[in-house]
């Protein structure tokens, strides 16, 4: 649910070279470094592995049978999942034109053979340190500071992508808009620090309900959260909405101005985009928002599902 891992993990370097002896030398020398090494013997395999394991850096040979290093780099840079992985060419091709071509394809560095192992190691360390910083920046840009779940910016980005994907693959997509009931009264009575603590507890309870990697929980506004559920139909979304409601109810956070048992509750609005409907993000969110409003007017601590328009296109 959280867009990026918080903890520092050992960086992974993927080495792609068609000559096993070259791989052996690199693996042997890089083993003492604090990095995880994965090897591939062809451009195709390298591209596939890069998508699968998302390494922090790729050391890429150029001259390989089949898909060569240039083409592999081009494909990596053209693929959303791998475009931000730094590529370092390590090759016997050492004239100016080769180096220029490699760097113009988006490689961060170009090392010609024969090379010095200490310099190679130093360069890898520098590139990995930069990659780590860039990961942290991406994480900061996507995360809500208080609750550590995704922020609205990240949600807006993901929902566009997921809605197009749903329409392309003809699958359902659901969203659940969530609002903490009478939160203003909570803040007025218990104070803002307590309000912040409440939002953290609520977001943790909400996350605990979501288990699939593609499900996304985001903080949408002050006391508003939103859940994106790819490949989930209206029944599935209703099921999750009820679990979310229960999870927050079970926290039993005292709230003396609440309508329900003097505790903090949430209201939820569910909207689903079905495969045959072509919808835009704004309309889907508006449906969820209207459903949320209904849940509020019907007494809070409940979810309402949006009514579907019957016209299909
Ligand atoms: Mg080669």
């Amino acid at each position: 649910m959280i867009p990026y891992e918080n903890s520092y993990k050992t960086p992974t370097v993927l080495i792609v070279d068609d000559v096993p002896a070259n791989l052996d030398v690199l693996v042997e020398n890089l083993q003492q470094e604090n990095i995880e090494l994965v090897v591939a013997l062809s451009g195709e395999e390298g591209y596939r592995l890069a998508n699968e394991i998302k390494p922090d850096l790729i050391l890429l040979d150029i001259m390989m049978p089949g898909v060569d290093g240039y083409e592999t780099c081009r494909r990596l840079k053209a693929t959303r999942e791998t475009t931000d992985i730094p590529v370092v060419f390590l090759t016997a091709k050492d004239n100016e034109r080769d180096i220029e071509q490699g760097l113009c394809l988006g490689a961060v560095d170009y090392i010609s053979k024969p090379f010095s192992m200490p310099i190679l190691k130093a360069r890898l360390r520098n590139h990995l340190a930069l990659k780590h910083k860039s990961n942290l920046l991406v994480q900061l840009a996507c995360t809500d500071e208080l609750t550590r779940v995704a922020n609205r910016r990240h949600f807006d980005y993901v929902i566009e992508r997921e809605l197009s994907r749903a329409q392309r693959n003809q699958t359902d997509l659901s969203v659940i808009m969530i609002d903490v009931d009478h939160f203003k009264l909570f803040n007025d009575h218990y104070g803002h620090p307590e309000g912040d603590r409440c939002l953290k507890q609520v977001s943790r309870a909400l996350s605990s309900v979501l288990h699939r990697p593609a499900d996304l929980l985001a903080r949408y506004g002050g006391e508003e959260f939103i859940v994106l559920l790819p490949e989930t139909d209206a029944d599935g979304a209703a099921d999750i909405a009820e679990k979310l409601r229960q999870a927050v109810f079970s926290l039993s956070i005292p709230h003396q101005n609440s309508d329900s048992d003097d505790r903090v509750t949430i209201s939820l609005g569910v909207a689903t985009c079905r495969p045959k409907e072509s919808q835009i993000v704004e309309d889907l969110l508006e449906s969820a928002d209207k459903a949320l409003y209904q849940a509020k007017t019907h007494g809070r601590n409940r979810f309402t599902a949006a009514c579907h328009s019957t016209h299909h296109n």
Side-chain angles (χ1 to χ4, degrees), residues 8-15 30 33-39 49-50 52-59 85-86 124 127-128 131-132 135:
Y8 180 81
K9 42 181 206 13
T10 310
T12 304
V13 173
L14 170 65
I15 311 173
L30 295 174
E33 300 288 298
N34 183 30
I35 49 181
E36 193 97 38
L37 296 170
V38 181
V39 299
L49 276 174
E52 196 181 306
I53 63 173
K54 310 265 160 33
D56 295 286
L57 188 141
I58 301 171
L59 260 183
I85 303 173
L124 287 188
H127 288 306
L128 287 170
K131 178 62 169 39
H132 181 61
N135 287 352

Side-chain angles (χ1 to χ4, degrees), residues 17-19 61 63-64:
D17 198 308
D18 60 314
V19 179
D61 179 28
M63 285 180 288
M64 295 184 285

Side-chain angles (χ1 to χ4, degrees), residues 214-280:
D215 296 346
L216 180 71
L217 167 69
R219 185 170 176 208
Y220 205 58
E223 72 269 26
E224 271 196 322
F225 292 90
I226 193 158
V227 172
L228 177 69
L229 302 166
E231 292 178 47
T232 307
D233 63 12
D235 288 343
D239 196 47
I240 290 172
E242 175 54 18
K243 288 194 176 117
L244 293 167
R245 187 199 65 76
Q246 281 172 12
V248 173
F249 190 80
S250 306
L251 288 172
S252 305
I253 303 170
H255 186 352
Q256 71 155 25
N257 293 311
S258 160
D259 302 328
S260 318
D261 288 350
D262 295 327
R263 62 172 88 185
V264 169
T265 57
I266 53 172
S267 297
L268 311 95
V270 184
T272 301
C273 182
R274 293 186 290 198
K276 293 254 145 46
E277 297 164 343
S278 73
Q279 240 179 5
I280 57 168

Side-chain angles (χ1 to χ4, degrees), residues 103-159:
L103 295 175
C104 287
L105 284 172
V108 291
D109 208 349
Y110 191 109
I111 301 170
S112 308
K113 293 175 189 172
F115 61 90
S116 137
M117 193 55 83
I119 293 176
L120 172 77
K121 284 182 185 177
R123 285 188 170 177
L124 287 188
R125 269 183 233 122
N126 289 347
H127 288 306
L128 287 170
L130 278 175
K131 178 62 169 39
H132 181 61
K133 279 185 195 165
S134 133
N135 287 352
L136 287 179
L137 278 179
V138 172
Q139 182 188 318
L140 276 175
C142 297
T143 308
D144 173 60
E145 205 176 1
L146 177 70
T147 60
R148 315 301 300 163
V149 301
N151 60 20
R152 184 171 182 156
R153 182 214 316 258
H154 186 62
F155 179 86
D156 288 342
Y157 169 73
V158 175
I159 192 175

Side-chain angles (χ1 to χ4, degrees), residues 158-185:
V158 175
I159 192 175
E160 285 288 350
R161 205 180 69 202
E162 289 297 333
L163 189 62
S164 325
R165 198 211 300 268
Q167 289 174 348
R168 207 166 50 239
N169 299 344
Q170 294 280 291
T171 56
D172 296 274
L173 175 99
S174 295
V175 292
I176 306 176
M177 195 90 86
I178 301 164
D179 190 78
V180 181
D181 295 324
H182 295 307
F183 189 68
K184 192 187 174 303
L185 295 175

